[in-house]
Amino acid sequence: DPILNTMQQEIKRSMPVLKKQKPPVYFMSYMINDNKSYNYFSSLGKITDKNIAHTATLDVDVRVGSEKMDNTRTLKGSHITFGRGGSSSRLVPLEDNAKVLQNILWQATESAVQQAQADYEKVKSNSVSASNRSDDSDDFSAPLAKKTDFCAQKEPLTFKEEEIISMLNEYSSLFKGKDFILSASVNFSVEDKVIYFVDSQGNKMRRPQRLIRLGYNLETLNDDGMELARTNNYDFTSMEKMPSKEQVIKDIKKSIEELRVLQNAPVAEPFHGPVILSGRAAGVFFHEILGHRMEGHRQKNDDFGQTFTGKINQQVIAPLISVYDDPTMTNFNNIALRGHYLYDDEAVPAQNVALIENGILKNFLMSRSPIKNFAQSNGHGRKDAGKKVVSRMGNTYVKASKTISPKELKAKLKEEIKRQNKPYGLYIEDISGGFTMIDTSSPQAFKVKPLLVYKVYPDKRADEIIRGVDIVGTPLASFNKIIAAGNDYQVFNGSCGAESGWVPVSAIAPSLLISELEIEKVHKSSSKLPVLKAPKGDK
């Protein structure tokens, strides 16, 4: 591959000189992220936006000092996140031009080396003046036992733009005449990437990545200022896997009706009691609350809350539950998993990592940043273009050792409502996301935002949609309250943001019955409903 060859030749030319510098460069890597993106949006039967872009971004990562201590170390008391310094990013030409690429690599390398050397001096000074670290592990792991040499070809991408536009317009026409919908759109997007990677230890990789998504979003506002939404996405890696027109239309009509009911639904009151999370909602729940706490590099950062750091081989979740992260999985129940990859962004082979087995903590997600008792990467170093690698989730798989049918799970919810002498419980069908606080300056708490919630009564009364619900709590308390699981595993596909940028992720989980969760009212906006009715031309 001409791009890989040029990158490799430039590293071989540079490293003998850079190793002799004071302080010395002991490791360097080049990554080029070549990304073609296609985005189409339609509303009320017409295309409202179309964007097609092609960019190629070079990231240079330089490490100065030694594996024991280098420029990437977080300074104690600085509140600077992991992944600082020693990098340089810039655009590269889209066509193969070895001479131009060599020049850009030279310029970016010079910039990254100067920054890395300056940062290393700060690290040395900080290591003398600051208090001792609780984990004095090396800053970088030893070279890989087996060098990576992975060069995959990209399959051709073919789709007819006019057919995509016609399809989106047909779907978005379904929103016409629905006065209660304030905004709605249907979108089609493609990210078609090739990642090129070489490093000074002899690893090289050309890794294609293609993500295709069809989705829609409906939003409205209640007269009390509460924002309401229904969304849905379909993820696939080839056009042949596009969902059928019948399925999408059926789902859109269902979401329209749910939004109509939501707008007039009663407002939730603060609540503490039994809750069922659907499989998709449980996947988001685990991703948001557990995921970042399982990232290895955080365990040696003294500003991190370290909820699970010292709990290896201890019970941290109800014994019913095991959690794995397996980026090698391509799909689940014929649904493509966005978190799939074969090699991570440090060219380390992806691995299935058993994080928690029968409630017992066993491992962390590891990049090439070692921590106490975990010296090597397990293939979870990930990044977005222009960012630095840290350990991240891929395909998170929540498994239950014993499952029951959804009907039996609901019956157990009603039993739990009666046992706790509560007037009702909750069934949470959909969650949009949330946030969790993970640094020592904040309480180790989380907030997750459900989109569709039902009151479930212990008697024969029908379930009732309510609105305005936020789930709040702390991880250790909430995870140990899981008492039953369904056999209805579902997939959540999304993108996760952190200091290494946005990366595609997936979560697989069954429906879960949690004996106690706390619910609070959501924040309301100050916006008012429109004074004017929607124009008749939109009907």
Side-chain angles (χ1 to χ4, degrees):
D1 182 279
I3 295 176
L4 279 179
N5 289 340
T6 302
M7 294 163 69
Q8 200 164 36
Q9 288 166 11
E10 193 61 19
I11 273 194
K12 288 179 178 179
R13 185 181 77 88
S14 302
M15 283 303 293
V17 176
L18 298 176
K19 283 180 179 180
K20 297 176 182 178
Q21 300 300 301
K22 293 182 180 181
V25 173
Y26 77 93
F27 174 87
M28 184 165 64
S29 70
Y30 293 145
M31 175 181 283
I32 291 178
N33 187 321
D34 187 336
N35 183 28
K36 295 179 181 179
S37 63
Y38 307 80
N39 292 279
Y40 302 86
F41 295 85
S42 175
S43 183
L44 299 174
K46 297 294 181 184
I47 289 292
T48 56
D49 190 17
K50 179 177 77 170
N51 180 268
I52 300 172
H54 185 190
T55 58
T57 305
L58 164 69
D59 293 333
V60 181
D61 181 37
V62 172
R63 288 179 177 262
V64 166
S66 67
E67 293 167 351
K68 178 66 179 174
M69 184 175 74
D70 68 26
N71 54 292
T72 67
R73 180 176 296 189
T74 300
L75 303 181
K76 290 205 69 173
S78 70
H79 303 292
I80 298 176
T81 59
F82 180 91
R84 53 186 294 283
S87 63
S88 179
S89 297
R90 57 193 65 200
L91 296 176
V92 298
L94 300 176
E95 70 276 0
D96 295 341
N97 188 316
K99 290 184 178 181
V100 173
L101 181 55
Q102 279 180 323
N103 192 269
I104 292 174
L105 289 168
W106 166 68
Q107 291 177 337
T109 300
E110 185 69 20
S111 173
V113 169
Q114 291 182 16
Q115 181 65 54
Q117 289 176 326
D119 286 339
Y120 180 63
E121 296 301 327
K122 295 177 184 176
V123 168
K124 285 201 303 181
S125 175
N126 186 255
S127 68
V128 174
S129 60
S131 58
N132 292 335
R133 300 190 302 164
S134 58
D135 183 345
D136 200 32
S137 298
D138 291 356
D139 288 337
F140 199 50
S141 65
L144 304 185
K146 181 182 179 181
K147 292 181 181 179
T148 293
D149 187 353
F150 176 74
C151 295
Q153 297 293 336
K154 184 170 71 171
E155 295 295 325
L157 172 68
T158 56
F159 66 87
K160 295 182 179 179
E161 183 179 82
E162 62 273 17
E163 292 181 359
I164 295 298
I165 290 175
S166 175
M167 174 190 70
L168 296 179
N169 289 342
E170 180 178 356
Y171 292 154
S172 70
S173 294
L174 296 171
F175 306 136
K176 290 182 177 181
K178 310 298 188 297
D179 291 345
F180 59 89
I181 299 176
L182 292 187
S183 66
S185 64
V186 183
N187 62 83
F188 174 82
S189 64
V190 180
E191 281 191 18
D192 203 27
K193 294 184 179 182
V194 180
I195 306 295
Y196 300 88
F197 176 92
V198 301
D199 68 22
S200 57
Q201 294 177 344
N203 300 297
K204 65 179 180 179
M205 170 180 73
R206 182 181 62 207
R207 189 192 74 203
Q209 181 185 58
R210 178 173 294 156
L211 302 172
I212 310 176
R213 168 171 281 187
L214 172 67
Y216 61 84
N217 180 65
L218 323 177
E219 295 179 355
T220 192
L221 186 71
N222 194 274
D223 56 12
D224 59 11
M226 188 176 294
E227 297 169 341
L228 305 166
R230 296 298 298 127
T231 64
N232 199 6
N233 293 306
Y234 310 87
D235 292 282
F236 40 101
T237 54
S238 66
M239 296 302 294
E240 293 74 23
K241 299 292 185 179
M242 176 92 73
S244 69
K245 183 183 295 186
E246 293 76 18
Q247 182 63 52
V248 177
I249 289 175
K250 178 182 176 182
D251 291 343
I252 289 177
K253 289 181 177 179
K254 180 174 181 289
S255 294
I256 290 173
E257 177 59 19
E258 288 169 347
L259 192 66
R260 185 191 66 78
V261 175
L262 268 173
Q263 193 182 38
N264 300 292
V267 178
E269 295 296 325
F271 170 82
H272 180 260
V275 174
I276 287 179
L277 300 176
S278 74
R280 187 180 184 282
V284 178
F285 187 76
F286 267 81
H287 172 88
E288 294 290 352
I289 301 165
L290 184 72
H292 291 302
R293 290 180 168 84
M294 291 287 101
E295 294 166 352
H297 68 283
R298 299 190 190 281
Q299 313 308 318
K300 63 181 179 184
N301 185 344
D302 290 336
D303 291 330
F304 174 60
Q306 300 182 347
T307 307
F308 300 109
T309 301
K311 296 187 179 298
I312 291 292
N313 294 321
Q314 295 181 30
Q315 183 182 325
V316 295
I317 291 182
L320 173 69
I321 298 299
S322 296
V323 182
Y324 306 87
D325 198 282
D326 186 4
T328 66
M329 296 177 64
T330 58
N331 61 80
F332 183 85
N333 287 346
N334 294 320
I335 298 174
L337 299 177
R338 283 171 62 88
H340 163 68
Y341 57 89
L342 293 178
Y343 290 83
D344 73 3
D345 292 322
E346 294 177 303
V348 179
Q351 298 175 34
N352 179 17
V353 179
L355 297 170
I356 297 170
E357 291 186 324
N358 301 318
I360 306 296
L361 181 64
K362 293 294 184 181
N363 211 330
F364 294 104
L365 303 172
M366 296 297 299
S367 64
R368 292 193 65 183
S369 176
I371 61 174
K372 190 181 298 182
N373 300 320
F374 298 92
Q376 298 297 324
S377 171
N378 52 32
H380 281 78
R382 306 186 68 194
K383 66 185 286 296
D384 197 1
K387 302 293 184 178
K388 298 275 284 185
V389 167
V390 297
S391 51
R392 303 289 295 275
M393 296 162 281
N395 294 324
T396 306
Y397 195 172
V398 180
K399 287 187 177 181
S401 57
K402 181 181 179 181
T403 61
I404 56 180
S405 70
K407 184 178 179 180
E408 292 171 311
L409 193 66
K410 190 170 184 180
K412 286 186 75 70
L413 170 62
K414 293 191 174 187
E415 291 172 9
E416 191 65 21
I417 295 169
K418 293 175 183 176
R419 188 188 71 79
Q420 296 185 27
N421 196 29
K422 300 287 184 180
Y424 58 85
L426 298 178
Y427 173 74
I428 298 176
E429 184 173 315
D430 195 13
I431 293 178
S432 66
F435 67 89
T436 184
M437 292 178 283
I438 56 176
D439 56 47
T440 52
S441 61
S442 304
Q444 297 303 293
F446 64 82
K447 177 177 281 193
V448 179
K449 183 177 179 60
L451 293 177
L452 189 60
V453 182
Y454 293 84
K455 268 187 182 179
V456 178
Y457 296 99
D459 50 33
K460 294 184 178 180
R461 280 178 288 175
D463 298 348
E464 179 185 17
I465 286 183
I466 57 175
R467 61 186 173 91
V469 173
D470 274 348
I471 305 174
V472 296
T474 56
L476 291 174
S478 301
F479 284 134
N480 278 286
K481 299 295 185 180
I482 300 171
I483 58 176
N487 57 11
D488 52 345
Y489 285 83
Q490 294 179 328
V491 173
F492 159 73
N493 275 316
S495 296
C496 177
E499 62 266 52
S500 66
W502 290 90
V503 297
V505 295
S506 301
I508 305 161
S511 294
L512 297 175
L513 172 56
I514 302 176
S515 61
E516 296 176 42
L517 271 185
E518 186 173 347
I519 305 300
E520 65 181 19
K521 288 187 174 182
V522 303
H523 169 75
K524 295 179 182 178
S525 75
S526 58
S527 302
K528 294 175 61 177
L529 283 169
V531 176
L532 300 175
K533 293 288 186 182
K536 291 183 178 180
D538 290 344
K539 295 183 179 181

